[in-house]
């Protein structure tokens, strides 16, 4: 009996020590977990904008703390590259796919996205064309029953995590007039706190003229996606002065058939002291912002 009592007492002591130790360890661990959690939370509050090195075309991957967004998908012959770039980024779901206009160097990779990823919603300007690439795009949206919405000037999309996308162009009238596909590209401003970036698709000088008149100072953005792969048919001086970006990002393929970027365009940016980053020379370009400051990283 005594030995049993002793055994129990001993066991209680051992248990007590064990419980105290556990509590200590548990408290220690939970503090550490909390710190890591806070760090992760701070990191995930950033917006990351990656202009993919996708040859002659456009494709931009945007990640906020809540969503994955893509603006354009590169050309048909770059589909496999797009797929590998996105897989490398660990992408499985695309919350929003925005197509600026239905030319193949912007819409060409949509097929592989629909086939390989969970694309939740597609947004475009509603302008149609009769190319096979565009018909395939429509067919996949329909077959996979993907949410689709036309967006026009005045609309706003929520990218989650405090990031919004304000659409400036095209207007309903521009689409009704069934004008030039490039000129009617979706132009929109991503806004996150003090940071902003203007996305322009292949919009043209005439688009810029209209935007200046309607939006003026509201065009001002931290960074500009240089319109139409650096073509001389856009990037008007007045427009650049209104947007007044600190840097411009150009997406284009080395030695492309169009001679992009045109020298006169490069000169305009140079004269205004706007630093240019180019996917043909720098590889993929990544912009990260916490809503106050930002940094730009080149792959090469
Ligand atoms: Zn283009």
């Amino acid at each position: 009996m005594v030995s049993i009592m002793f055994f129990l007492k001993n066991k209680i002591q051992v248990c007590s020590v064990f419980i105290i130790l556990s509590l200590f360890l548990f408290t220690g661990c939970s503090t550490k977990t909390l710190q890591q959690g806070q760090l992760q939370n701070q990191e995930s509050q950033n917006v990351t904008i990656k202009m993919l090195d996708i040859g002659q075309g456009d494709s931009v991957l945007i990640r906020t703390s809540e969503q994955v967004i893509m603006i354009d998908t590169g050309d048909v012959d770059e589909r496999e590259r797009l797929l590998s770039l996105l897989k490398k980024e660990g992408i499985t779901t695309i919350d929003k796919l925005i197509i600026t206009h239905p030319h193949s160097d912007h819409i060409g990779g949509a097929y592989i996205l629909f086939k390989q990823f969970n694309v939740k919603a597609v947004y475009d300007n509603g302008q149609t064309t009769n190319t096979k690439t565009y018909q395939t795009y429509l067919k996949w949206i329909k077959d996979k029953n993907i949410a689709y919405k036309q967006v026009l000037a005045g609309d706003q999309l929520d990218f989650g995590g405090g990031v919004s996308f304000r659409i400036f162009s095209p207007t309903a009238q521009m689409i009704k007039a069934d004008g030039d596909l490039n000129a009617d590209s979706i132009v929109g401003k991503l806004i996150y706190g003090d940071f902003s970036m203007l996305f322009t698709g292949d919009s043209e000088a005439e688009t810029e003229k209209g935007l200046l008149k309607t939006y003026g100072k509201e065009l001002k953005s931290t960074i500009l996606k240089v319109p139409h792969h650096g073509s001389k048919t856009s990037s008007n001086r007045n427009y650049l002065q209104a947007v007044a970006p600190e840097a411009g990002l150009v997406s284009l393929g080395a030695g492309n058939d169009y001679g992009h970027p045109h020298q006169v365009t490069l000169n305009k940016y140079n004269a205004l002291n706007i630093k240019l980053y180019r996917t043909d020379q720098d590889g993929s370009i990544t912009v990260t912002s916490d809503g106050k400051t930002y940094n730009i990283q080149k792959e090469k």
Side-chain angles (χ1 to χ4, degrees), residues 81-99:
R81 179 163 171 75
L82 179 68
L83 184 62
S84 79
L85 285 171
L86 293 179
K87 289 209 162 157
K88 216 168 81 184
E89 293 286 327
I91 305 293
T92 52
T93 295
I94 295 159
D95 297 280
K96 289 183 171 74
L97 169 62
I98 299 166
I99 297 292

Side-chain angles (χ1 to χ4, degrees), residues 15-220:
C15 280
S16 308
V17 170
F18 184 75
I19 287 165
I20 289 164
L21 256 175
S22 301
L23 273 173
F24 179 76
L25 280 171
F26 182 74
T27 315
C29 283
S30 65
T31 310
K32 203 176 168 195
T33 310
L34 191 67
Q35 280 169 349
Q36 278 171 348
Q38 280 168 339
L39 271 177
Q40 271 164 9
N41 202 31
Q42 276 168 5
E43 277 167 24
S44 65
Q45 289 305 306
N46 285 347
V47 61
T48 306
I49 301 162
K50 194 166 203 151
M51 180 177 266
L52 302 173
D53 178 16
I54 199 81
Q56 183 67 15
D58 270 7
S59 187
V60 179
L61 173 69
I62 301 167
R63 301 175 91 160
T64 71
S65 60
E66 292 169 14
Q67 294 181 30
V68 172
I69 304 104
M70 284 200 69
I71 302 183
D72 290 335
T73 63
D75 213 329
V76 176
D77 57 359
E78 299 286 349
R79 276 176 184 166
E80 288 306 317
R81 179 163 171 75
L82 179 68
L83 184 62
S84 79
L85 285 171
L86 293 179
K87 289 209 162 157
K88 216 168 81 184
E89 293 286 327
I91 305 293
T92 52
T93 295
I94 295 159
D95 297 280
K96 289 183 171 74
L97 169 62
I98 299 166
I99 297 292
T100 61
H101 66 296
H103 275 152
S104 71
D105 60 323
H106 297 255
I107 207 174
Y111 164 84
I112 207 86
L113 297 187
F114 295 147
K115 203 175 166 192
Q116 301 274 352
F117 300 92
N118 171 25
V119 181
K120 289 188 176 170
V122 178
Y123 302 83
D124 68 26
N125 63 11
Q127 198 170 45
T128 60
T129 182
N130 49 24
T131 61
K132 195 168 170 261
T133 312
Y134 177 71
Q135 298 305 326
T136 306
Y137 159 81
L138 282 190
K139 188 179 180 305
W140 275 85
I141 293 172
K142 204 174 156 226
D143 288 355
K144 288 196 90 174
N145 208 12
I146 300 168
Y148 164 81
K149 195 176 182 287
Q150 178 191 33
V151 284
L152 294 167
D155 287 333
Q156 186 160 311
L157 298 178
D158 181 9
F159 285 177
V163 182
S164 62
F165 189 66
R166 218 182 132 197
I167 291 152
F168 289 155
S169 193
T171 60
Q173 292 92 310
M174 283 162 79
I175 294 300
K176 216 171 157 191
D178 208 12
D180 181 66
L181 292 185
N182 284 340
D184 290 355
S185 288
I186 290 178
V187 177
K189 185 175 172 179
L190 177 149
I191 304 163
Y192 183 42
D194 298 335
F195 173 85
S196 57
M197 179 162 170
L198 191 66
F199 290 87
T200 56
D202 284 355
S203 55
E204 299 283 353
E206 59 180 282
T207 326
E208 296 173 351
K209 226 170 142 184
L211 284 168
L212 256 180
K213 212 169 138 190
T214 313
Y215 294 100
K217 282 181 181 165
E218 287 175 74
L219 294 171
K220 185 158 177 24

Side-chain angles (χ1 to χ4, degrees), residues 205-206 208-209 233-241 268:
E206 59 180 282
E208 296 173 351
K209 226 170 142 184
T233 53
S234 21
S235 294
N236 269 357
R237 197 187 160 85
N238 291 345
Y239 184 67
L240 294 188
Q241 280 174 320
K268 279 189 242 173

